[in-house]
Amino acid sequence: MGALTLTPNLATWGIAALATLGVILRPFAWPEAIWAVLGAALLVLLGLIPWQAALEGVAKGTDVYLFLVGMMLLSEIARKEGLFDWLAAHAVRAAKGSATRLFALVYVVGTVVTIFLSNDACAVVLTPAVFAATRAAGVKQPLPYLFVCAFIANAASFVLPISNPANLVVFAEHMPPLSQWLATFTLPSVLAIGATYAVLRLTQNARLKAETVAADIAIPVLGRGGTIAGIGIVATGAALIGASAAGIELGLPTFLAGLATALVVLAINRGGLVEVARDVSWGVLPLVAGLFVLVEALEKTGLLTRLADWLGHAAQGDPAATAWAGGALVAFGSNLVNNLPAGLLAGAAVQAAHVPDTVAGAILIGVDLGPNLSVTGSLATILWLTAIRREGEDVSAWAFLKLGALVMPPALVLALAALLLV
């Protein structure tokens, strides 16, 4: 009987592993979404997860879909209306011909965008702006600057609850007050952001020293559409902060803000809806849906129960050691199934096990910071990849992993140590 009940579990884990591998390696150059959806469909067709449960898994991502659509609409409108080109020109002028100064400027802006608009927004909104800045500056190797967008999106994603949608997933209805959040996560965040910058700066130093940056470039005129797009982005940030303070899910406010901004700009331009809809990266939505189904299937294997039992027993024995182990395991595990669905599982286990705040905080840091290891670690990194491919750049899974293996561990260790110190 044990073998009979174990076989479906092994099949589920095997399919989930192969689907994740497909998302990472993209065999035949097929988009990541195809592999996630194929894995989810295979689980349903083989009866390893009922179709009703698969739909429940898809439905769990509703807030994420709304959030992404809103952000992608904002980004596309801003790109088409020249907002990014205008901001890029100002950033290049501020750099005054220094490649390292431009690098630092991009890092600071990326930190602010992540904190107040979320890590996904940093990937979706900032990446095109940074590419525009490097192009305007005549930069021959834009990747060091583009890497900033990918890594700061995760490194700064636990400064505030809204800095990463996964934060809301992990704590759910047990979200601590903002004052307690800041007291707990400010020092870990500062160390994570600082360590990430230091390692990125060291690893990209040779490229930056070999780079030349134009100092005097023309500032393009920003039209009404670009101004409205900028106002829409700022208003979205304000809406996210307000929604978080009120305990409202972030997806619908973001979607409404993005849609309203797009409609106003399209009305001013008297057209352009087809072009905007055509250029939005819709493939991200089935990718997320597929990942949620994969995690729903893994949960059916009893994974959640095992995680909650382990956490509960370990936390009773040694909370500090459990915080270190839990944070590290979730950090590396998030790279296997993506941190958003991993956060769902980890958050449910945390709440079921009633662990101390230190352990819950360590797991949140693992969910947020761990994805800096690989291209599949977080949705923000996948969105970043989509954005740079659109501009003719690409980074292989192996190339990102080699850099991530240097960037992520020091930041994780420092953040967890600071959490325990606090």
Side-chain angles (χ1 to χ4, degrees):
M1 283 296 287
L4 289 175
T5 56
L6 185 61
T7 301
N9 289 352
L10 287 176
T12 299
W13 279 91
I15 291 171
L18 288 173
T20 304
L21 198 62
V23 171
I24 295 171
L25 300 180
R26 298 175 70 238
F28 315 115
W30 290 357
E32 291 91 347
I34 290 179
W35 298 103
V37 172
L38 280 176
L42 191 57
L43 289 169
V44 174
L45 290 173
L46 294 179
L48 295 170
I49 179 174
W51 65 267
Q52 297 93 334
L55 288 180
E56 288 176 9
V58 172
K60 286 181 179 179
T62 300
D63 192 62
V64 180
Y65 312 143
L66 290 171
F67 182 89
L68 289 176
V69 171
M71 281 299 174
M72 289 191 292
L73 285 172
L74 281 171
S75 174
E76 192 56 37
I77 285 293
R79 187 182 70 85
K80 288 187 180 299
E81 294 301 315
L83 176 62
F84 295 152
D85 293 327
W86 182 80
L87 291 171
H90 282 283
V92 171
R93 280 203 169 185
K96 298 178 180 178
S98 169
T100 54
R101 187 179 288 117
L102 182 60
F103 185 86
L105 277 170
V106 170
Y107 199 86
V108 170
V109 173
T111 302
V112 172
V113 170
T114 299
I115 290 172
F116 294 105
L117 279 176
S118 88
N119 61 337
D120 295 335
C122 182
V124 173
V125 176
L126 186 64
T127 304
V130 169
F131 190 87
T134 58
R135 183 179 56 208
V139 169
K140 296 180 179 65
Q141 298 185 76
L143 272 181
Y145 305 96
L146 295 173
F147 276 135
V148 169
C149 302
F151 286 100
I152 192 56
N154 294 317
S157 66
F158 51 99
V159 176
L160 294 177
I162 64 166
S163 303
N164 189 340
N167 296 340
L168 310 181
V169 167
V170 170
F171 279 105
E173 66 271 14
H174 302 288
M175 179 66 66
L178 183 59
S179 58
Q180 183 182 334
W181 181 284
L182 292 173
T184 302
F185 293 111
T186 295
L187 181 58
S189 292
V190 169
L191 292 177
I193 292 167
T196 300
Y197 177 81
V199 178
L200 273 179
R201 180 71 173 74
L202 287 171
T203 56
Q204 305 305 307
N205 192 50
R207 285 180 175 178
L208 293 174
K209 282 190 173 181
E211 196 61 75
T212 55
V213 175
D216 188 20
I217 64 170
I219 304 292
V221 176
L222 185 65
R224 279 197 301 169
T227 302
I228 291 170
I231 293 171
I233 291 173
V234 173
T236 301
L240 289 177
I241 293 172
S244 176
I248 300 171
E249 291 188 326
L250 305 183
L252 186 57
T254 308
F255 172 76
L256 293 175
L259 181 62
T261 303
L263 291 176
V264 171
V265 173
L266 292 174
I268 290 173
N269 294 341
R270 298 182 180 180
L273 175 62
V274 174
E275 289 78 8
V276 171
R278 180 189 61 209
D279 291 335
V280 169
S281 301
W282 299 110
V284 172
L285 302 180
L287 168 64
V288 176
L291 290 172
F292 270 99
V293 174
L294 293 177
V295 171
E296 188 74 13
L298 293 176
E299 189 174 331
K300 298 296 181 186
T301 66
L303 176 63
L304 178 57
T305 303
R306 293 190 186 97
L307 284 175
D309 288 345
W310 175 81
L311 269 177
H313 286 105
Q316 287 178 5
D318 190 338
T322 305
W324 277 106
L329 286 172
V330 171
F332 286 96
S334 292
N335 293 278
L336 301 178
V337 293
N338 188 267
N339 73 331
L340 193 57
L344 276 171
L345 275 174
V350 163
Q351 290 149 34
H354 304 292
V355 296
D357 291 343
T358 303
V359 176
I363 286 173
L364 180 123
I365 288 174
V367 167
D368 284 6
L369 197 53
N372 266 346
L373 181 65
S374 75
V375 291
T376 54
S378 73
L379 185 56
T381 312
I382 294 172
L383 291 168
W384 172 80
L385 264 181
T386 302
I388 66 169
R389 284 173 186 157
R390 181 177 185 171
E391 305 293 351
E393 295 287 336
D394 199 4
V395 176
S396 69
W398 174 241
F400 194 97
L401 181 64
K402 286 194 294 183
L403 181 56
L406 297 173
V407 174
M408 189 276 280
L412 179 67
V413 169
L414 286 172
L416 290 176
L419 176 76
L420 291 170
L421 178 65
V422 170

